[in-house]
Amino acid sequence: MVIDVTGERLLSRRVLNDETELLGLIRDVLALSEDVLWAVDINRGGAALVIALLLDHGQPMVFLPGLAVHHASAAYRGQGKTDAKDAHVIADQARMRRDLGVLRPGDEVAVDLRLLITRRTDLVCDRTRQINRLRAQLLEIFPALERALTLTNQGPVMLLTGYQTPAAIRRTGAKRIETWLKNRKVRGAAELARAAVEAAQAQHTALPGEKVAATLVARLAKGVMALNEEIAEVDALIEARFHQHRHAEVINSLPGMGPCLGAEFIAATGGDLEPFGTADRLATFAGLAPVPRDSGRVSGNMRRPNRFHRGLLRAFYLSSLASLRTCSASRTYYERKRKEGKNHQQALLSLARRRVNVLWAMIRDGACYQGAPTAAAAA
């Protein structure tokens, strides 16, 4: 959809997500006018090709989130929803609004990290679902063992790839199971084998469907092991790619912000803080800066924003939690907030907000973190 400064429609047609067709569209639009502002409601995924082509042609682009398009469409005539109407709303909003974010050429390292972080998130979710299925299947035949094992650890999952039923564990014995586990480099093999035998001694009844269920448990356990291996491989790729970023050394020097969380920070921000302008805007983007919800006589009502980047909030929150063990300045600030009456989560969010300012200044100055003296930190 192409409209002019008055809102009149100049061009409207459907095009495939194909390079030839998109190039033809760009030529047709530029033939109408050289002064064009492009607007999109998707800034990744299926829109990657058209964004890359527009950047190659030096065309300015703004991003209008899909939720904003949905809310804005309520102010236009008609209640129907079509692609043509959505395109008109996007174009008209871009014509009228001056506060939309400008899309810039992406940092290649940041794009790679975003893809790897997304893949890792999918794998972790798949592993969680697989572990839940494994736990449910084990409960049907051997509840005592399910209760005794921590299936989020690798050792118990390895045990289930070889032993699933009470009779098999009793028949094998603790010593042979311990040796079997040690041959597979499982830590705490003796304790794990002893716990498995104790669980087997507590159940002498073979439940219906035990043979088939045991086969399924073994397959699910092997699936969890495979996912663990793939997550480790992706973690290695993330760490290697993270250290290739120009801000990696600075980000990694902040206590609690290791390669994984640092990669999440780069992936969320695009590797460039210039579009945010200030640390306050970055904090708002991360959901760490309250926004006012005033109405009438109600003023000073501050709430967390509804729209923020969950991944960026996660990176700051977890890094703040980790910094309590390694950074005296973070620990001192956290304890001060607790003395002011804040609970653990509130104090941790306050610390995360403070660390936004610290990381912003570090990246701005290109300086690594330097711990302040204890007296200065307490002040």
Side-chain angles (χ1 to χ4, degrees):
M1 179 75 68
V2 181
I3 62 176
D4 60 16
V5 292
T6 63
E8 291 295 325
R9 183 181 302 180
L10 302 179
L11 176 65
S12 177
R13 77 167 184 254
R14 184 187 297 270
V15 295
L16 294 176
N17 194 10
D18 176 79
E19 181 174 352
T20 302
E21 291 206 22
L22 292 173
L23 288 173
L25 175 64
I26 294 173
R27 285 194 300 268
D28 293 344
V29 172
L30 293 180
L32 296 174
S33 174
E34 293 292 332
D35 186 16
V36 181
L37 177 63
W38 300 78
V40 295
D41 64 337
I42 304 175
N43 60 359
R44 62 183 63 175
L49 179 58
V50 65
I51 291 174
L53 293 175
L54 290 172
L55 290 175
D56 289 342
H57 285 75
Q59 295 297 300
M61 279 181 294
V62 294
F63 171 61
L64 187 67
L67 184 61
V69 176
H70 172 71
H71 289 316
S73 63
Y76 290 79
R77 183 172 57 189
Q79 298 183 12
K81 182 188 183 304
T82 64
D83 290 342
K85 181 181 179 181
D86 289 343
H88 176 76
V89 171
I90 295 171
D92 201 39
Q93 289 292 304
R95 176 181 67 89
M96 295 185 296
R97 295 179 58 174
R98 296 293 179 268
D99 61 338
L100 298 179
V102 178
L103 286 177
R104 293 173 170 82
D107 184 328
E108 186 173 353
V109 177
V111 173
D112 291 346
L113 288 175
R114 177 176 59 79
L115 295 174
L116 290 170
I117 291 294
T118 302
R119 177 57 181 164
R120 186 184 190 279
T121 302
D122 290 341
L123 290 172
V124 170
C125 292
D126 290 342
R127 181 178 61 182
T128 300
R129 285 190 290 267
Q130 193 87 330
I131 290 174
N132 289 337
R133 295 189 190 105
L134 176 60
R135 181 176 287 112
Q137 195 69 66
L138 189 60
L139 272 172
E140 292 193 14
I141 59 170
F142 201 170
L145 185 60
E146 187 277 334
R147 186 168 56 252
L149 300 182
T150 303
L151 296 180
T152 52
N153 294 340
Q154 187 138 331
V157 177
M158 177 63 75
L159 172 68
L160 292 177
T161 62
Y163 302 95
Q164 306 86 27
T165 63
I169 293 176
R170 287 195 303 269
R171 185 168 54 250
T172 306
K175 286 296 183 181
R176 290 171 62 186
I177 292 178
E178 178 184 347
T179 303
W180 186 87
L181 291 173
K182 285 182 176 179
N183 291 337
R184 286 155 180 80
K185 300 179 181 180
V186 174
R187 296 180 179 178
E191 183 179 353
L192 181 57
R194 185 170 57 253
V197 171
E198 289 176 358
Q201 294 294 345
Q203 179 179 331
H204 291 268
T205 303
L207 299 180
E210 182 180 77
K211 186 175 181 180
V212 173
T215 303
L216 295 176
V217 166
R219 289 186 177 182
L220 289 170
K222 290 176 182 177
V224 174
M225 296 293 295
L227 287 170
N228 285 336
E229 292 178 4
E230 189 170 357
I231 290 173
E233 293 173 0
V234 173
D235 284 342
L237 292 174
I238 289 174
E239 183 172 359
R241 197 65 173 124
F242 167 74
H243 286 299
Q244 295 174 3
H245 196 271
R246 63 184 185 278
H247 297 318
E249 183 179 0
V250 174
I251 295 172
N252 198 41
S253 68
L254 183 67
M257 188 72 82
C260 189
L261 293 178
E264 291 190 24
F265 170 79
I266 293 174
T269 59
D272 183 14
L273 299 185
E274 183 179 351
F276 294 98
T278 64
D280 293 338
R281 289 183 179 177
L282 177 61
T284 302
F285 184 61
L288 292 170
V291 295
R293 286 180 62 89
D294 297 344
S295 179
R297 296 182 180 180
V298 178
S299 61
N301 186 21
M302 307 297 290
R303 301 286 184 87
R304 176 185 288 185
N306 293 326
R307 300 191 302 273
F308 57 90
H309 197 290
R310 267 67 179 175
L312 188 58
L313 175 62
R314 177 182 182 275
F316 277 113
Y317 186 88
L318 293 181
S319 67
S320 299
L321 182 63
S323 71
L324 296 180
R325 301 190 300 268
T326 59
C327 179
S328 59
S330 295
R331 168 59 67 174
T332 301
Y333 183 85
Y334 169 82
E335 291 177 349
R336 190 173 78 211
K337 291 300 177 182
R338 291 302 304 269
K339 291 178 181 178
E340 293 175 2
K342 296 183 182 296
N343 60 32
H344 169 71
Q345 186 176 20
Q346 291 170 337
L348 205 57
L349 289 172
S350 297
L351 174 61
R353 173 64 183 91
R354 183 182 183 93
R355 285 163 58 87
V356 171
N357 290 346
V358 173
L359 185 57
W360 176 278
M362 289 167 54
I363 294 176
R364 179 197 61 199
D365 300 338
C368 293
Y369 180 83
Q370 296 180 353
T374 305

